[in-house]
Amino acid sequence: MKSHASNRRMLRAALACSALALSLSLGTARAQESVAAAEAEGGKWWFVELSGAPVADGASLATVRNEKAAFRRAAAAAGVSFKERMSYDVLFNGFSIEVSVANRAKIANLPGVKAMYPVEIIQAPNPETAGNVAPDIARAVDLTGARIAQTQFGLSGSGIKVGIVDTGIDIDHPAFGGSGTPGTTVFPSARVIAGYDLVGDSYNSSGTPAQQVPVPDPNPDDCNGHGTHVSGIVGANGGGFTGVAPGVSFGAYRVFGCTGTSSSDVIVAALERAYADGMQVINQSLGAARQWPQYPTAQASTRLVNKGVVMVASIGNNGPGGSSPDALFAAGAPGVGDKVIGVASFDNAQASFTVNGTPYGYNQATGSPIAPTSGSLPMAKTWNGVAPSPSTSPAASPVNDGCAALPQGSMNGMAVLIRRGTCSFYQKAFNAQQAGAAAVVLYNNQPGAVNPTVAGTPAITIPVVAITADQGVALHNLIAAGPTSLVWTATAVGFPFGTGGLISGFSSFGLNAELTLKPQLGAPGGGIFATYPLELGGAATLSGTSMSSPHVAGGVALILQGRPKANPRTMQTRIQNAADPKNWSGNAALGLLDYAFRQGAGMLDIVGTLQATTIVEPSQLSVGESEGGPKSFTISVKNEATTSVIYDLSHSAAVAAGPNTQTGASYNISGTFNAPATVSFSAPSITVPAGGTASFDVTIDANAGLPDRSLYGGYVVLTPQGGGAVYRVPFAGFKGNYQSTQVLTPTANGFPWLARLNGGTYFNLPTGGTFTMANGDIPYFLVHLDHLSRRVRFEAFDAVTGRSWHRVSDDEYVTRNSTPGGFFAFTWDGTTFTGKGKNDNQWRTVPNGQYVVRLSVLKALGDENNPAHWETWTSPVITIARP
């Protein structure tokens, strides 16, 4: 199967399926009659999952390896050729392979093959900014209570081994006990006690054929930077930095080269090594957006939890304020995995400037110099109209603020206020810079924070910072009223003077495709100044859920040290119980809690977890769809204290989100609603005896006034009579019938199409087409998938008689498109299979003639036997006329 893509994202995922006799592409539509062919993105690497359990699930190593040998024999007997890349025994039973389209189709139907999944291409994130003045890790550790855990509880994470699956660690950095001189520290070192470089410096899964071959190395030193930054957050201790758990020991598992991309098959191999090395906590600051919990990285991570390893993973950077914005159901693997702690991002305490004495917290833009901490500038604005309401939809009221060239010298020495919208952040900053501006202050055109990128050529050489829509409107009005000055400061601020402590604009929304609550909780990830390789400056500021995840991993290390008798398998429960939900970032002053399916249980509270004397299980409630009426759950409360406790039971509502929009350049939620769920309890309070357990029932139903297909959520709250720690259980659900979600949406192009590819462009063939099936003259099917699908099946039929020629493909756990106008392109090579079973599939080449192909899509959580849970489309007539 071949895949193509024009949609860029941190982890650019091929379609999560095992299409038989098809190839796949992903693109963005451009016109009604033709669309540009998507850029080739590989697709020749595949995971092969065998039917038997892996070692972690109880199988013997001998049994697992015998199954692999049997697979190889079956492939040889069938005349199927492929190249093994990696083999897995413990966390996943199978291989990753390189294989042609035709042979991949045959492998998928060999005896013993359970499923195939595309090996995903993973892009290592780049730093947001680099320098030595920014909101730093010291401020971030205060937000989670890590500083108190260190200074008042005497905890450092000593004795805990934390695995970092990333770009490696700069073992020479003083923060990790290194010498401070590049290339002089011996690995393993006093703090980086284990690890492996699985790929080598030159590895680039998107590079040349030679670069795509891993060249392992025993030393996992970091020449990229991301892994050193992540590790510094977990446990830096020296060189001017103190991380969350400065006493941990590290295992470094390098899965990226110095530049370029990695691949998810390397990630699974790294997890097997980390498990073999005895890592107690593993952090993965990486992920595949819009994935299912069945994806191999998620499966492997869940199995590690079952073996007693605490697995922490970033949930993704596809929030509406990110560089690759998306909306609901964007959470990525492995963070979507069952039992994996998926982590959202909250903004760090922000650097600030003042205007008329009022602080304005800001986010530093990528690609510009860091703003100073002293000095003042007069302010100006480029747009002289009336400032719009912060809630004004940019689609309804586009503003070209700063998009046109400004008169030379018109902004000399000014800090220029510019509203987001229409053109790129770079274009706005460049126009202001060319007009003589000394700084640019960008403000959002929608609720929440924004993390802009102004990298470009020529470079932006003046500081560019970003503030919220509310802040921007206030400044707009001040400038309009008279002379206004901006004063740079070294003061860090949070809400209400900025977004510090609120959810980051880039942080992805859940739920996962099975309506499970994701993420589990959050931590600081927006604007973290931490360690970086010495050769790259030694320190840098990065933003992302990549930065929030290691805060949780480090926090878990402190908790494991502080509560050594705690079962690691209960870690998710403990940290969710004590977490602190935060106000809605869109308008925090309203006092409404942010989406439970975006912040999970809330901000990590390390001290609260350490001091907790109560365990509440389950620690989260996935309510599912509301079509069947209210859902009831039994919640168990265990009291570890020496005295009984009476808890009053209540409910705190969180804001709800309308279904994803189906137009525009990116997905957006169609609205935010204050529509509390109906929540009732079996009793108003519960008495839990000392050392004992009690339970209560809670019943939850969606608000009747909430639009169908919205997501809603809130928190079950346990408040002790007489004072003490409050415990919460987050919940989230889907309003209405989940299977009412349309998957095959037409977009502006009227997909699905039967299409021909010619000269890099797909041409629509609404009345049918003739194909020779030679030299690339084959039919394409262009399909937009608006939601994740449980199954996508193509079948061929004789166009005249209706005779079934059986299946063209049958794919499971399929992702959705990343944009409302994106599409997947499948091809048919003229072969089909019976689909009767692994041992009696018969492949055939259909004869020349006229055919139609029927596409059938089974919706997420759909019942295969319920016709209402399928969507179908039948192609125009395809005439096969081989020479």
Side-chain angles (χ1 to χ4, degrees):
M1 184 175 190
K2 182 179 288 185
S3 68
H4 308 266
S6 66
N7 298 59
R8 300 293 189 187
R9 47 197 185 271
M10 182 183 76
L11 190 154
R12 302 178 300 172
L15 183 61
C17 59
S18 53
L20 309 178
L22 279 89
S23 66
L24 165 74
S25 68
L26 171 64
T28 300
R30 297 204 307 189
Q32 284 292 100
E33 299 303 324
S34 64
V35 293
E39 179 186 73
E41 199 185 287
K44 61 185 179 181
W45 299 341
W46 290 85
F47 285 106
V48 178
E49 183 178 12
L50 301 181
S51 299
V55 172
D57 285 355
S60 69
L61 182 61
T63 297
V64 170
R65 291 185 173 173
N66 285 339
E67 289 179 4
K68 289 182 174 62
F71 166 81
R72 295 183 184 103
R73 289 193 297 271
V80 179
S81 62
F82 62 92
K83 179 179 180 182
E84 285 188 31
R85 278 177 53 86
M86 298 184 179
S87 178
Y88 314 100
D89 297 323
V90 179
L91 303 177
F92 185 80
N93 181 9
F95 312 88
S96 67
I97 64 171
E98 180 177 329
V99 65
S100 68
V101 173
N103 281 329
R104 195 210 65 79
K106 294 179 175 63
I107 283 176
N109 287 277
L110 287 175
V113 174
K114 178 180 180 180
M116 294 186 72
Y117 309 86
V119 170
E120 308 224 17
I121 303 302
I122 305 175
Q123 178 67 51
N126 292 317
E128 291 290 335
T129 55
N132 57 10
V133 180
D136 59 25
I137 192 173
R139 295 165 181 167
V141 296
D142 290 334
L143 293 176
T144 63
R147 178 79 65 222
I148 295 174
Q150 294 169 5
T151 59
Q152 297 184 24
F153 288 67
L155 300 175
S156 67
S158 177
I160 306 301
K161 293 183 285 187
V162 180
I164 307 294
V165 179
D166 213 293
T167 67
I169 299 177
D170 181 4
I171 61 174
D172 295 307
H173 202 296
F176 309 109
S179 65
T181 301
T184 61
T185 304
V186 176
F187 173 79
S189 66
R191 292 207 61 206
V192 187
I193 63 170
Y196 194 68
D197 177 357
L198 288 89
V199 293
D201 286 358
S202 299
Y203 183 71
N204 181 356
S205 61
S206 301
T208 66
Q211 291 174 319
Q212 293 174 3
V213 178
V215 182
D217 186 288
N219 189 342
D221 199 18
D222 185 10
C223 53
N224 176 289
H226 189 262
T228 296
H229 195 276
V230 165
S231 302
I233 295 171
V234 171
N237 188 14
F241 292 97
T242 301
V244 175
V248 299
S249 298
F250 289 102
Y253 303 93
R254 183 180 171 194
V255 295
F256 290 89
C258 295
T259 59
T261 62
S262 186
S263 46
S264 54
D265 58 344
V266 179
I267 307 302
V268 176
L271 292 176
E272 292 207 333
R273 279 190 171 270
Y275 177 57
D277 287 341
M279 295 297 116
Q280 297 160 272
V281 183
I282 297 177
N283 183 83
Q284 296 177 85
S285 287
L286 44 83
R290 298 167 287 274
Q291 265 297 358
W292 288 78
Q294 288 77 11
Y295 191 72
T297 57
Q299 282 193 50
S301 297
T302 293
R303 289 189 173 106
L304 280 165
V305 178
N306 293 338
K307 303 303 288 186
V309 181
V310 181
M311 299 300 294
V312 184
S314 54
I315 205 64
N317 299 333
N318 296 100
S323 57
S324 298
D326 204 335
L328 307 178
F329 301 100
V336 295
D338 296 336
K339 304 181 184 180
V340 178
I341 299 172
V343 183
S345 173
F346 291 94
D347 278 352
N348 192 9
Q350 296 172 293
S352 68
F353 59 79
T354 63
V355 176
N356 292 348
T358 299
Y360 288 76
Y362 61 79
N363 291 334
Q364 175 74 48
T366 302
S368 78
I370 288 178
T373 56
S374 62
S376 64
L377 295 171
M379 294 200 74
K381 56 188 178 67
T382 60
W383 183 44
N384 293 316
V386 177
S389 164
S391 61
T392 299
S393 167
S397 300
V399 177
N400 299 323
D401 193 10
C403 292
L406 300 167
Q408 188 74 25
S410 61
M411 297 293 169
N412 276 348
M414 299 281 192
V416 182
L417 180 71
I418 307 177
R419 185 176 186 243
R420 178 185 187 181
T422 306
C423 63
S424 69
F425 294 123
Y426 171 79
Q427 190 63 52
K428 293 173 186 285
F430 179 76
N431 288 340
Q433 178 174 287
Q434 290 299 97
V440 171
V441 179
L442 298 167
Y443 71 103
N444 209 351
N445 58 6
Q446 56 189 315
V450 61
N451 296 83
T453 298
V454 294
T457 304
I460 300 300
T461 58
I462 58 176
V464 179
V465 300
I467 58 178
T468 67
D470 285 327
Q471 292 172 311
V473 169
L475 287 181
H476 178 101
N477 293 335
L478 285 173
I479 297 168
T484 305
S485 293
L486 174 155
V487 179
W488 300 110
T489 78
T491 303
V493 299
F495 172 75
F497 301 113
T499 60
L502 302 178
I503 203 77
S504 301
F506 52 76
S507 196
S508 292
F509 282 96
L511 302 168
N512 78 10
E514 297 181 333
L515 299 183
T516 302
L517 178 61
K518 290 288 177 177
Q520 274 55 61
L521 81 172
I528 308 296
F529 182 71
T531 49
Y532 218 54
L534 297 175
E535 297 92 330
L536 299 176
T541 297
L542 278 71
S543 291
T545 53
S546 283
M547 284 60 255
S548 58
S549 184
H551 276 281
V552 174
V556 166
L558 295 178
I559 296 164
L560 288 174
Q561 181 192 10
R563 306 195 70 152
K565 295 183 180 180
N567 186 334
R569 294 181 183 86
T570 68
M571 186 58 63
Q572 176 179 318
T573 294
R574 290 180 180 274
I575 61 178
Q576 282 190 297
N577 285 173
D580 304 309
K582 300 299 182 180
N583 284 2
W584 176 42
S585 62
N587 191 343
L590 293 177
L592 302 173
L593 293 179
D594 216 321
Y595 316 93
F597 42 87
R598 195 178 185 196
Q599 68 167 324
M603 177 77 81
L604 172 69
D605 185 341
I606 297 170
V607 173
T609 305
L610 289 166
Q611 294 180 327
T613 58
T614 297
I615 298 177
V616 185
E617 294 183 300
S619 59
Q620 64 178 45
L621 303 175
S622 298
V623 184
E625 52 193 313
S626 68
E627 180 191 28
K631 300 289 180 61
S632 295
F633 302 87
T634 298
I635 294 180
S636 173
V637 184
K638 181 180 180 181
N639 180 9
E640 297 180 329
T642 57
T643 58
S644 64
V645 183
I646 301 175
Y647 286 103
D648 291 331
L649 306 177
S650 62
H651 159 234
S652 293
V655 293
N660 288 350
T661 57
Q662 295 181 334
T663 60
S666 62
Y667 285 108
N668 289 283
I669 60 173
S670 56
T672 296
F673 303 92
N674 180 17
T678 300
V679 180
S680 61
F681 300 94
S682 55
S685 63
I686 182 174
T687 300
V688 191
T693 301
S695 63
F696 64 91
D697 294 335
V698 58
T699 301
I700 302 171
D701 197 10
N703 189 302
L706 191 62
D708 281 346
R709 297 187 295 107
S710 296
L711 297 186
Y712 66 95
Y715 299 84
V716 174
V717 183
L718 292 79
T719 305
Q721 294 182 5
V726 176
Y727 300 93
R728 300 176 184 86
V729 177
F731 67 84
F734 180 95
K735 167 66 184 304
N737 176 8
Y738 190 32
Q739 283 70 46
S740 70
T741 303
Q742 185 180 3
V743 177
L744 295 175
T745 56
T747 79
N749 287 278
F751 295 133
W753 285 7
L754 169 66
R756 171 175 276 113
L757 178 61
N758 187 4
T761 300
Y762 294 115
F763 291 89
N764 190 11
L765 303 174
T767 60
T770 300
F771 301 88
T772 64
M773 312 304 284
N775 300 318
D777 184 25
I778 55 178
Y780 283 79
F781 308 101
L782 272 55
V783 181
H784 174 80
L785 299 178
D786 214 52
H787 194 62
L788 296 93
S789 304
R790 177 62 180 82
R791 172 167 264 125
V792 174
R793 176 182 293 161
F794 286 83
E795 299 168 282
F797 298 86
D798 188 294
V800 177
T801 67
R803 172 191 171 186
S804 173
W805 283 88
H806 305 294
R807 297 178 185 178
V808 175
S809 73
D810 194 6
D811 310 326
E812 298 185 69
Y813 303 114
V814 181
T815 187
R816 64 165 169 85
N817 285 102
S818 61
T819 66
F823 62 88
F824 296 112
F826 297 83
T827 68
W828 181 31
D829 66 357
T831 62
T832 61
F833 69 100
T834 59
K836 293 180 180 178
K838 293 291 184 185
N839 296 318
D840 59 3
N841 280 336
Q842 295 182 8
W843 282 88
R844 67 192 69 193
T845 299
V846 302
N848 286 356
Q850 292 187 316
Y851 302 88
V852 294
V853 170
R854 184 172 67 201
L855 165 64
S856 301
V857 176
L858 177 64
K859 302 183 182 191
L861 297 184
D863 178 358
E864 291 199 24
N865 297 316
N866 186 341
H869 293 181
W870 291 85
E871 292 181 33
T872 61
W873 168 83
T874 300
S875 74
V877 173
I878 299 165
T879 301
I880 296 180
R882 299 181 184 89

